[in-house]
Amino acid sequence: MIELDLSGQVAVVTGGSSGIGLASAELFLRAGASVAICGRDNDRLARAERELRERHPQAQLLAVRCDVLDADDVAAFAGAVEQRFGRADMLVNNAGQGRVSTFADTTDEAWREELDLKYFSIIRPTRAFLPMLRSAAKGGNAAIVCVNSLLALQPEPHMVATSSARAGVLSLIKSLAVELAPEHIRVNSILIGIVESGQWRRRYENDTQAQSAGQSWEDWTRELARKKHIPLGRFGRPEEAAQALFYLATSLSSYTTGSHIDVSGGVARHV
Ligand code: NDP
């Protein structure tokens, strides 16, 4: 990892209380940035904050309960960041989760929920943090990075709504990148395959077959990686996704906007 001094800069990570978001918060803190994280569940958020403070006792860290789908929550989160740090240089739109459902079993309500989550988890925080990003852009690096999925380019029928929403979001990110480029705010995304995280842990814990067979987490993920034909033969680790986010959020990628990095272990079939 290239060493970069981010002291004086502020990174905001939505969904920073678990998985990829938490690993990203860790990287930004390690590089000396001030970090603000949010999530809906207070206990999970408090646990993440404790963990980060244990590893970085001097950390400039703010943890705020916020549902990114709630406009008032998001406005309050941005307000809290402004009050505490006075700025935001990097916004990582990470909060969310996938939805496993085929066309046959996706109701209208489920479609709306999924489209709402995928679009507004980007739209709301982006809108709320834009004034601070604009100010940051005048003096240096300002960037938005979105966690997207390879499903955007390679849809899976068993995740029909998520795949469709992910493709739309890729288009949104491209438009945003062009619109914000004259203001020197870069907008990029990562396209991930399968990354070990809270949501996969929960799927493992809810897999009654695996639980009753006493299958370990390691064996369970290895078997799934094989079934899903992941060329690198394993799930990604949160820090591997976080490193790509870190690159796109910082001046390391100062001439990159409207682009994405594939972090899928080689699953992408297109050239
Ligand atoms: P985790 O479940 O470990 O983390 C998700 C984080 O997002 C948690 O901090 C969660 O906290 C938060 N979150 C979820 N919904 C909201 C919300 N409405 N408002 C605020 N915070 C929210 O999962 P991952 O790290 O895997 O997920 C990170 C992103 O990566 C997600 O957008 C996910 O869809 C995407 N992704 C992940 C893949 C994977 O294989 N892991 C594959 C493709 C995409 P809380 O629940 O307390 O709100």
Side-chain angles (χ1 to χ4, degrees), residues 76-97:
F77 180 38
V81 171
E82 184 153 33
Q83 197 180 17
R84 172 74 182 274
F85 298 128
R87 61 187 296 145
D89 302 80
M90 298 162 279
L91 169 65
V92 179
N93 287 318
N94 160 75
Q97 61 187 23

Side-chain angles (χ1 to χ4, degrees), residues 189-219:
S189 62
I190 61 169
L191 301 185
I192 56 180
I194 298 184
V195 173
E196 286 178 16
S197 66
Q199 54 175 320
W200 281 101
R201 276 273 172 193
R202 288 190 289 278
R203 282 184 210 178
Y204 163 67
E205 281 154 17
N206 293 332
D207 183 338
T208 43
Q209 229 177 329
Q211 297 306 326
S212 55
Q215 193 174 25
S216 69
W217 162 251
E218 288 71 25
D219 287 346

Side-chain angles (χ1 to χ4, degrees), residues 14-22 38-42 44-45 66-69 93-98 117-118 121 147-151 162 166 192-200 202 235 238:
T14 68
S17 60
S18 170
I20 296 164
L22 181 57
C38 81
R40 295 163 303 175
D41 185 274
N42 273 323
R44 192 175 294 158
L45 200 58
C66 159
D67 181 342
V68 290
L69 299 184
N93 287 318
N94 160 75
Q97 61 187 23
L117 175 62
K118 294 300 181 286
S121 62
V147 176
N148 201 347
S149 158
L150 185 64
L151 294 172
T162 295
R166 290 297 193 189
I192 56 180
I194 298 184
V195 173
E196 286 178 16
S197 66
Q199 54 175 320
W200 281 101
R202 288 190 289 278
F235 282 18

Side-chain angles (χ1 to χ4, degrees), residues 14-60:
T14 68
S17 60
S18 170
I20 296 164
L22 181 57
S24 306
E26 164 75 29
L27 281 190
F28 287 120
L29 285 175
R30 218 187 284 162
S34 303
V35 172
I37 59 172
C38 81
R40 295 163 303 175
D41 185 274
N42 273 323
D43 291 344
R44 192 175 294 158
L45 200 58
R47 210 167 33 243
E49 186 179 6
R50 217 169 29 245
E51 240 178 71
L52 290 169
R53 283 198 191 284
E54 269 167 25
R55 283 200 293 275
H56 304 275
Q58 311 300 328
Q60 294 297 316

Side-chain angles (χ1 to χ4, degrees), residues 14-265:
T14 68
S17 60
S18 170
I20 296 164
L22 181 57
S24 306
E26 164 75 29
L27 281 190
F28 287 120
L29 285 175
R30 218 187 284 162
S34 303
V35 172
I37 59 172
C38 81
R40 295 163 303 175
D41 185 274
N42 273 323
D43 291 344
R44 192 175 294 158
L45 200 58
R47 210 167 33 243
E49 186 179 6
R50 217 169 29 245
E51 240 178 71
L52 290 169
R53 283 198 191 284
E54 269 167 25
R55 283 200 293 275
H56 304 275
Q58 311 300 328
Q60 294 297 316
L61 175 65
L62 177 68
V64 176
R65 206 218 72 87
C66 159
D67 181 342
V68 290
L69 299 184
D70 183 314
D72 292 342
D73 273 11
V74 176
F77 180 38
V81 171
E82 184 153 33
Q83 197 180 17
R84 172 74 182 274
F85 298 128
R87 61 187 296 145
D89 302 80
M90 298 162 279
L91 169 65
V92 179
N93 287 318
N94 160 75
Q97 61 187 23
R99 176 182 293 270
V100 178
S101 70
T102 62
F103 184 76
D105 56 35
T106 310
T107 61
D108 283 4
E109 201 192 349
W111 272 103
R112 286 205 188 90
E113 267 177 21
E114 188 58 6
L115 294 172
D116 212 37
L117 175 62
K118 294 300 181 286
Y119 279 93
F120 283 95
S121 62
I122 292 178
I123 292 169
R124 292 237 164 84
T126 297
R127 202 183 269 141
F129 284 94
L130 252 184
M132 282 187 270
L133 291 168
R134 284 196 174 108
S135 302
K138 289 185 185 128
N141 174 63
I144 299 169
V145 193
C146 303
V147 176
N148 201 347
S149 158
L150 185 64
L151 294 172
L153 299 177
Q154 197 162 286
E156 294 277 0
H158 75 282
M159 293 186 79
V160 66
T162 295
S163 300
S164 163
R166 290 297 193 189
V169 157
L170 197 57
S171 164
L172 164 66
I173 293 166
K174 193 78 174 172
S175 296
L176 256 181
V178 175
E179 185 170 330
L180 297 180
E183 300 186 72
H184 308 290
I185 299 171
R186 298 178 302 103
V187 190
N188 293 288
S189 62
I190 61 169
L191 301 185
I192 56 180
I194 298 184
V195 173
E196 286 178 16
S197 66
Q199 54 175 320
W200 281 101
R201 276 273 172 193
R202 288 190 289 278
R203 282 184 210 178
Y204 163 67
E205 281 154 17
N206 293 332
D207 183 338
T208 43
Q209 229 177 329
Q211 297 306 326
S212 55
Q215 193 174 25
S216 69
W217 162 251
E218 288 71 25
D219 287 346
W220 187 80
T221 56
R222 210 171 305 121
E223 188 183 322
L224 212 58
R226 188 176 46 74
K227 278 191 197 151
K228 289 186 175 289
H229 307 291
I230 299 175
L232 286 181
R234 61 174 177 84
F235 282 18
R237 292 185 293 274
E239 56 273 23
E240 292 173 315
Q243 282 166 12
L245 287 170
F246 184 89
Y247 170 74
L248 290 172
T250 62
S251 59
L252 290 173
S253 61
S254 51
Y255 198 52
T256 301
T257 196
S259 188
H260 53 258
I261 295 180
D262 177 313
V263 190
S264 73

